[in-house]
Amino acid sequence: MTPPLPWDARHAADIIDRHLHLEGPTLPILHALQEAFGHIPDDAVPLLADALNLSRAEIHGVVTFYHDFRHEPAGRHIIKVCRAEACQSLGSERAATALLERLGIGWGETTADGTVTVQAVYCLGLCACAPAALIDGDPLGRLDGAKLAAAVEGVRWS
Amino acid sequence: MTRIFIPQDVAALAVGADAVARAIAAQAGDGVTIMRTGSRGLFWLEPLVEVETPAGRVAYGPVDPADVPGLLAAGMLSGAAHPLCLGLTEQIPWLARQNRLTFARCGIIDPLSAADYRSHGGFKGLERALSLGPTETVEEVVRSGLRGRGGAGFPTGIKWRTVAAAPADRRYIICNADEGDSGTFADRMMMEGDPLALIEGMVIAGFAVGATKGYVYSRSEYPHANRTFTRALDVARQAGLLGPSVLDSDVSFDIELRVGAGAYVCGEETALLESLEGKRGVVRAKPPLPAIKGLFGRPTVVNNLLSLATIPTILANGAQAYADYGMGRSRGTMPIQIAGNVKFGGLFETAFGITLGELITDIGGGTLTGHPVKAAQCGGPLGAYFPPSLFDTAYDYEAFTARGGLIGHGGIVVFDDSVDLSAQARFAMEFCAIESCGKCTPCRIGSTRGTEVIDRIRAGVEVEANIALVEDLCQTMKFGSLCALGGFTPYPVLSALHHFPEDFRRGACPVAAE
């Protein structure tokens, strides 16, 4: 994964500018900002409000509505574990709970050393090879506790 | 030159298709080209490797990279026998039993080759639509009997007629690819395996109703599908399928891919419209219908991806050919997705009318764990849990409704006897609480209260009184919610309560257990 950049108002303004020709550009801009900075920094909200001629409250409302947008940077590696029914049917919760205990974190949290963030997702469309997860965007199917732990350890120290 | 086909579908990648492709590329030597395709949808056989032979494609699977030397030594490149050999792909019974209309090309063609698409029947639907003219194209879709594949089952052609008739300066086509239901992956497979069919379907829709702009609203949980589809848009522009003069006609149409941000409720069409406009994904009250006032207040076709991807085959082969499949008012075929704890999971496209039991037992082969099937949730997180005693239900919109269920987007999630339906009912409420947009009270507050009451039932606190309370709450949510999220969450909850009452009363002590 490309490491996120430190906050840079001019770079953020460029990103916003590049999307202004779109109809309803808010979500594409937020995705692009998060892609660049790893999260949606508070400083981005007034910039976006100005550019779109909306109130800060409206932008804040959008940012906080969607599960994807982070308010602080994530760990260096992002593990998205599916918690939906198809994965539940083959023991995803057991595997995920074991991983979280091993890392000493809860859902949505980052390990103290900043290496790993574990996020809950509801369906990756890998329901016929469940349970499933995305390890830094790479899909992993038919996992169990051991396979998930090994995959996380594999990226954690790389 | 021997051609080898290996899926690039994310579900194949999830079980190691890339490593298999690398092993074959390294060991098979020159004289072999590897083409990456979508998936055939037989996921227990992934990674599935197919070899082109004079008799047809011969399949091997599931292949592990360690199997590759043995396969090559056995003569895989000429389709020779091997313990992993499945014979001719088209003759694998699981595939041969299907009626692949929507998914006719998926897993077969190079998803990003317009030439391959054309040689497998692509563009024919659009060409026929252009010769029929807009009005007759709409009527053809009406005659096919196609109903919305997102779950609501509204006749697609009628929706198009409404949009075409609404006076407007501009109209929009929106493809709802926000496939959030657990147990469903057909939209994703189509975006990865035959994206040009979706694009062609949207162009036909645009031509039919007089729209020049389309949006595909996909999910951030589908990064691979989004990458493939983005490239497919470029391929389509180069091939003249999109642009200012589609196939050299005076029709103009272009498509933009938009990606959601992890909000399940945005699969609801009005929340989707809000999200596309850049707002919180909050549901709109209807009326006005999106067909009259949709995106930016303009008449808008919002169709499920599967509905749109089925349009080219309907136009190419005629409405009647499509309507000849199916039963009752459910015409055509449904790409059913068999998932969860099931032996043979995957995409099974078939005419409406097959029974649930056939799908789960005969085709799905029962559970992967080998335990008895206890329940199957049909139609995603808002769908009912069916017990085996209802497996004689025919796969049909009306038959499912009559049994207190819904077919939704075609997902079936199988559970073995280790499942606790009270936990699943609790999850349904909890999921609704997490994903509620917050606009209407029954959904926003009811789901949280519902989770709490089910917790009390599971703890054995005043079980019968609390069950009555949940039933009452479900009635309120069902009839008082603005959209299907709050309105359908009662389906899994009530079906669990009614069909599996013992799971709510197991070893419960009558007094507080907390």
Side-chain angles (χ1 to χ4, degrees):
Chain A
M1 296 204 312
T2 32
L5 305 168
W7 171 248
D8 174 347
R10 210 158 55 188
H11 184 43
D14 283 346
I15 289 173
I16 294 171
D17 222 39
R18 275 207 302 276
H19 292 88
L20 285 180
H21 68 284
L22 299 175
E23 294 181 304
T26 316
L27 258 66
I29 292 174
L30 289 172
H31 276 303
L33 289 172
Q34 179 151 300
E35 174 84 26
F37 302 111
H39 67 299
I40 307 294
D42 287 342
D43 290 338
V45 172
L47 279 184
L48 199 49
D50 274 354
L52 299 176
N53 196 23
L54 294 168
S55 71
R56 290 181 190 193
E58 281 168 297
I59 300 297
H60 176 79
V62 174
V63 174
T64 52
F65 181 85
Y66 295 96
H67 301 301
D68 277 4
F69 299 129
R70 280 190 291 274
H71 314 298
E72 62 262 342
R76 282 204 302 283
H77 303 285
I78 298 176
I79 315 299
K80 296 184 177 181
V81 184
C82 179
R83 297 191 72 185
E85 291 91 337
C87 287
Q88 291 170 11
S89 77
L90 284 167
S92 58
E93 287 297 291
R94 258 196 321 279
T97 307
L99 175 70
L100 292 170
E101 275 173 15
R102 189 190 168 94
L103 297 172
I105 56 174
W107 287 108
E109 293 175 2
T110 302
T111 52
D113 62 2
T115 51
V116 174
T117 299
V118 178
Q119 285 181 353
V121 289
Y122 293 93
C123 200
L124 296 166
L126 300 171
C127 321
C129 54
L134 285 183
I135 315 287
D136 282 344
D138 288 333
L140 183 66
R142 294 178 195 153
L143 60 79
D144 55 21
K147 204 168 157 186
L148 179 61
V152 172
E153 290 305 310
V155 296
R156 189 176 185 186
W157 309 116
S158 64
Chain B
M1 195 58 100
T2 306
R3 292 208 298 170
I4 296 183
F5 305 87
I6 304 174
Q8 197 158 226
D9 183 280
V10 67
L13 300 184
V15 292
D18 272 346
V20 171
R22 278 195 301 273
I24 292 176
Q27 296 169 43
D30 303 335
V32 164
T33 48
I34 296 178
M35 187 200 281
R36 303 302 294 266
T37 60
S39 173
R40 297 273 197 164
L42 287 63
F43 287 113
W44 76 98
L45 295 175
E46 294 287 2
L48 183 81
V49 175
E50 293 178 72
V51 179
E52 195 168 54
T53 73
R57 292 186 192 178
V58 176
Y60 298 83
V63 177
D64 186 89
D67 297 322
V68 171
L71 283 165
L72 290 170
M76 175 182 84
L77 296 182
S78 51
H82 183 277
L84 291 178
C85 183
L86 302 158
L88 291 170
T89 317
E90 300 291 344
Q91 290 176 8
I92 296 174
W94 208 88
L95 196 55
R97 277 182 79 172
Q98 302 192 34
N99 311 112
R100 289 232 168 158
L101 303 181
T102 307
F103 278 81
R105 282 174 295 263
C106 190
I108 296 174
I109 62 164
D110 174 351
L112 295 172
S113 161
D116 221 8
Y117 180 67
R118 181 178 282 281
S119 69
H120 285 82
F123 295 97
K124 284 208 182 81
L126 177 57
E127 282 161 2
R128 177 149 176 267
L130 292 173
S131 71
L132 287 176
T135 312
E136 203 35 42
T137 298
V138 172
E139 293 314 309
E140 189 74 351
V141 175
V142 173
R143 280 192 293 271
S144 75
L146 178 67
R147 294 167 67 178
R149 298 291 186 241
F154 188 82
T156 305
I158 305 290
K159 194 183 274 186
W160 287 18
R161 221 188 245 162
T162 311
V163 172
D169 59 342
R170 61 180 195 271
R171 302 179 180 83
Y172 292 101
I173 306 297
I174 292 178
C175 165
N176 185 346
D178 195 8
E179 183 178 51
D181 288 359
S182 175
T184 65
F185 42 81
D187 295 356
R188 181 188 64 63
M189 279 181 67
M190 182 62 70
M191 287 173 80
E192 296 192 50
D194 194 11
L196 295 174
L198 168 61
I199 294 171
E200 184 181 346
M202 290 180 72
V203 176
I204 294 170
F207 168 67
V209 306
T212 56
K213 181 73 193 262
Y215 286 98
V216 173
Y217 189 93
S218 177
R219 316 175 61 219
S220 61
E221 292 86 344
Y222 283 0
H224 297 77
N226 296 339
R227 272 199 293 275
T228 303
F229 192 74
T230 302
R231 292 173 60 195
L233 288 174
D234 286 335
V235 170
R237 287 184 194 112
Q238 278 156 23
L241 182 56
L242 291 175
S245 55
V246 170
L247 300 187
D248 296 322
S249 69
D250 55 1
V251 175
S252 161
F253 196 78
D254 211 333
I255 296 174
E256 206 178 307
L257 173 68
R258 287 290 174 91
V259 180
Y264 176 76
V265 74
C266 289
E268 197 283 332
E269 62 177 359
T270 62
L272 188 157
L273 293 171
E274 291 287 300
S275 183
L276 266 179
E277 291 183 5
K279 302 173 191 156
R280 294 164 65 92
V282 173
V283 172
R284 294 179 186 171
K286 289 191 272 195
L289 293 170
I292 309 287
K293 279 182 87 137
L295 188 65
F296 301 109
R298 304 307 200 288
T300 303
V301 169
V302 186
N303 279 158
N304 183 259
L305 186 148
L306 295 179
S307 313
L308 287 164
T310 303
I311 296 294
T313 177
I314 290 173
L315 266 298
N317 302 314
Q320 194 54 47
Y322 189 74
D324 282 345
Y325 291 92
M327 70 175 272
R329 289 171 50 216
S330 304
R331 307 314 311 175
T333 60
M334 183 72 193
I336 299 166
Q337 300 127 81
I338 308 172
N341 189 346
V342 67
K343 207 164 167 190
F344 308 127
L347 184 109
F348 196 89
E349 181 176 351
T350 188
F352 286 96
I354 190 168
T355 68
L356 192 51
E358 283 176 88
L359 287 164
I360 293 169
T361 311
D362 302 350
I363 294 158
T367 65
L368 181 65
T369 47
H371 290 241
V373 174
K374 179 167 171 179
Q377 188 180 25
C378 303
L382 309 176
Y385 285 95
F386 281 75
S389 60
L390 293 182
F391 282 5
D392 61 338
T393 310
Y395 211 85
D396 161 85
Y397 290 99
E398 279 69 38
F400 263 56
T401 308
R403 292 276 174 90
L406 47 108
I407 67 171
H409 184 53
I412 297 175
V413 177
V414 182
F415 291 83
D416 73 7
D417 57 1
S418 66
V419 69
D420 173 355
L421 271 298
S422 73
Q424 299 309 117
R426 183 195 188 280
F427 176 78
M429 283 290 190
E430 184 189 24
F431 183 73
C432 181
I434 294 170
E435 299 297 340
S436 177
C437 81
K439 181 155 180 165
C440 71
T441 317
C443 174
R444 182 183 69 245
I445 297 179
S447 54
T448 298
R449 293 290 97 88
T451 311
E452 294 164 358
V453 179
I454 296 174
D455 276 342
R456 285 202 281 279
I457 295 168
R458 284 164 53 81
V461 182
E462 297 182 61
V463 172
E464 298 309 322
N466 277 315
I467 285 177
L469 193 57
V470 169
E471 299 226 11
D472 187 50
L473 174 63
C474 282
Q475 293 308 310
T476 303
M477 290 175 70
K478 199 168 171 178
F479 297 107
S481 299
L482 261 182
C483 83
L485 180 51
F488 288 5
T489 292
Y491 279 99
V493 176
L494 292 175
S495 59
L497 267 169
H498 294 161
H499 301 310
F500 307 91
E502 65 284 359
D503 282 11
F504 293 80
R505 296 168 175 89
R506 57 171 54 157
C509 49
V511 209
E514 282 175 283

